[in-house]
Amino acid sequence: MDDAKKLFERFKKWMAGKKGARWLMILGGLGVALILFSEWTPQETVSAQQRTEEYTAYLEERLVDTVRNIDGVGSCQVMLSLESGVRYVYATEDRQDNNYRQDGEKLDTSENSQQSVIVVDDKGLLVTEILPIVQGVVVVCEGGNDIAVQERIIKAVATVLRISEKRVCVLPQTTGG
């Protein structure tokens, strides 16, 4: 405890001198500079189109891995068709102004409502991200000319993506070049 008091007294004396005040000013200035610099550094943002492309690539990769493991399938490629891109839902604030004016027996009512996005750090407050819906799938693979293999692929893809079997097309891969 005595050591802490002695250390604090030394610090107080040092700060009372010109050197202490000068160092305090320098450190304070550096702190402010770091804060300002962090505001100027670009923040990495991902556009909805980039996010859609990443999502599509992810699904295609997972489907290729799944289809390759089906009996009778060799190498394969998968292509997805999506309904739309990724959509973002932002938090909003509803404002409603009611103005009442009474002239004798007559009552006039006017309403004004606004809806605005809630902004935090110069960005809209994201509530949810809605991923695109798969519309169709094409699978091109070795073994795709066998009807039993086609049926297994169609059932697997339709089940994984929760789409109708009519939205899945399986084609044989060409041999040679």
Side-chain angles (χ1 to χ4, degrees):
M1 194 68 145
D2 265 345
D3 290 336
K5 283 184 181 181
K6 286 179 185 178
L7 185 61
F8 182 70
E9 289 299 321
R10 274 188 182 171
F11 181 71
K12 243 169 84 173
K13 284 180 185 177
W14 184 72
M15 289 302 294
K18 287 185 179 181
K19 283 186 178 181
R22 192 174 295 149
W23 275 106
L24 186 61
M25 297 271 292
I26 290 170
L27 289 175
L30 284 173
V32 169
L34 285 173
I35 291 170
L36 290 174
F37 180 72
S38 70
E39 292 293 319
W40 288 338
T41 56
Q43 302 296 323
E44 187 175 320
T45 57
V46 177
S47 71
Q49 182 178 356
Q50 287 172 317
R51 182 70 178 108
T52 301
E53 290 169 4
E54 289 170 0
Y55 178 67
T56 304
Y58 169 78
L59 284 180
E60 288 174 349
E61 185 179 315
R62 294 292 307 264
L63 283 172
V64 165
D65 290 343
T66 302
V67 171
R68 275 191 193 141
N69 288 310
I70 295 174
D71 185 38
V73 176
S75 66
C76 71
Q77 294 178 333
V78 173
M79 182 174 174
L80 294 174
S81 164
L82 302 177
E83 179 181 288
S84 64
V86 171
R87 292 183 297 150
Y88 299 111
V89 177
Y90 296 96
T92 58
E93 178 180 41
D94 294 327
R95 290 188 188 132
Q96 190 167 16
D97 298 328
N98 296 323
N99 298 321
Y100 298 100
R101 196 173 75 224
Q102 189 170 1
D103 295 337
E105 296 290 320
K106 186 177 177 185
L107 180 66
D108 290 335
T109 312
S110 65
E111 291 184 9
N112 183 15
S113 70
Q114 282 183 323
Q115 190 175 42
S116 57
V117 173
I118 297 173
V119 177
V120 177
D121 295 332
D122 296 330
K123 296 178 190 168
L125 181 60
L126 185 63
V127 173
T128 189
E129 175 183 67
I130 300 171
L131 296 173
I133 297 170
V134 175
Q135 290 287 16
V137 181
V138 174
V139 178
V140 179
C141 64
E142 290 177 1
N145 51 357
D146 183 344
I147 293 182
V149 172
Q150 284 183 2
E151 193 172 308
R152 287 193 294 266
I153 293 171
I154 290 170
K155 283 186 185 278
V157 171
T159 301
V160 166
L161 297 176
R162 296 183 185 177
I163 59 174
S164 166
E165 292 182 3
K166 292 186 261 183
R167 295 181 180 261
V168 182
C169 175
V170 179
L171 301 170
Q173 194 170 32
T174 59
T175 56

